Amino acid sequence: MDPLHTQHGLPESEAAAEAQRLIDDWASRPVRHHPTSFRDPIAPPAFGTTPPVKQEDHRIVPAWAAGIAVASIGVGAGITGVGCGAWLVLHGLASVTLNSVLMVTLPIAALAMVVTAIGGAISKARTAVTANVYEGPVTQHTEIHNTTSTRGTFFARTRNTIR
């Protein structure tokens, strides 16, 4: 059964006449125009209760609020990057073997050894030669007078005075 070519009980001439009647009936009706706006011609009273007036909503975001929003987006993106970096480092550390540790630390240890050797050579080369020549007798005179006083028992405070 083909639904496109079946007349559903009407002969083709009657079906065409019914279709034409429906189209003519639809075309004879007036077109309804629906207004998209309405303006009330009556002016509101100068005093007393007046009808509400629609207020346009023009919100302006303060500069500090926009700055905080942008900063929070930046911090969120930065923290996401730090988290991804931490994940990569920890993922790498989770698969640590002795060979990988040696391959990473041996060049660093070799570099540290070379730097230490160069530093030692420079230190020995820069050793100062002191030649202090004293012409007269040297006398060293030291006097120490120590006075100790302790106050209190539990939270004791000891004062040492050296003159």
Side-chain angles (χ1 to χ4, degrees):
M1 177 177 195
D2 188 7
L4 295 177
H5 294 83
T6 304
Q7 282 110 15
H8 301 286
L10 290 177
E12 190 172 323
S13 61
E14 287 181 24
E18 181 65 16
Q20 188 62 42
R21 185 189 67 77
L22 290 173
I23 292 172
D24 291 340
D25 181 44
W26 174 79
S28 66
R29 294 185 189 154
V31 177
R32 294 182 184 232
H33 294 285
H34 299 287
T36 57
S37 65
F38 174 76
R39 182 176 297 266
D40 190 4
I42 302 170
F47 60 90
T49 58
T50 59
V53 177
K54 182 171 172 35
Q55 302 291 322
E56 293 297 325
D57 188 15
H58 295 290
R59 295 184 187 177
I60 298 173
V61 178
W64 61 268
I68 288 175
V70 170
S72 64
I73 291 170
V75 167
I79 290 298
T80 303
V82 169
C84 290
W87 181 83
L88 288 172
V89 167
L90 295 175
H91 187 68
L93 289 176
S95 61
V96 171
T97 62
L98 178 62
N99 290 337
S100 65
V101 170
L102 291 177
M103 288 300 136
V104 170
T105 58
L106 283 178
I108 297 171
L111 181 65
M113 218 164 52
V114 168
V115 168
T116 304
I118 291 172
I122 292 173
S123 173
K124 291 219 181 230
R126 289 183 47 197
T127 304
V129 178
T130 57
N132 295 330
V133 179
Y134 295 104
E135 299 287 330
V138 176
T139 306
Q140 183 176 3
H141 180 71
T142 305
E143 277 188 40
I144 298 177
H145 299 285
N146 189 4
T147 305
T148 302
S149 63
T150 304
R151 289 189 200 160
T153 55
F154 191 64
F155 292 107
R157 190 165 81 186
T158 303
R159 293 184 180 218
N160 294 322
T161 307
I162 300 174
R163 288 185 225 141

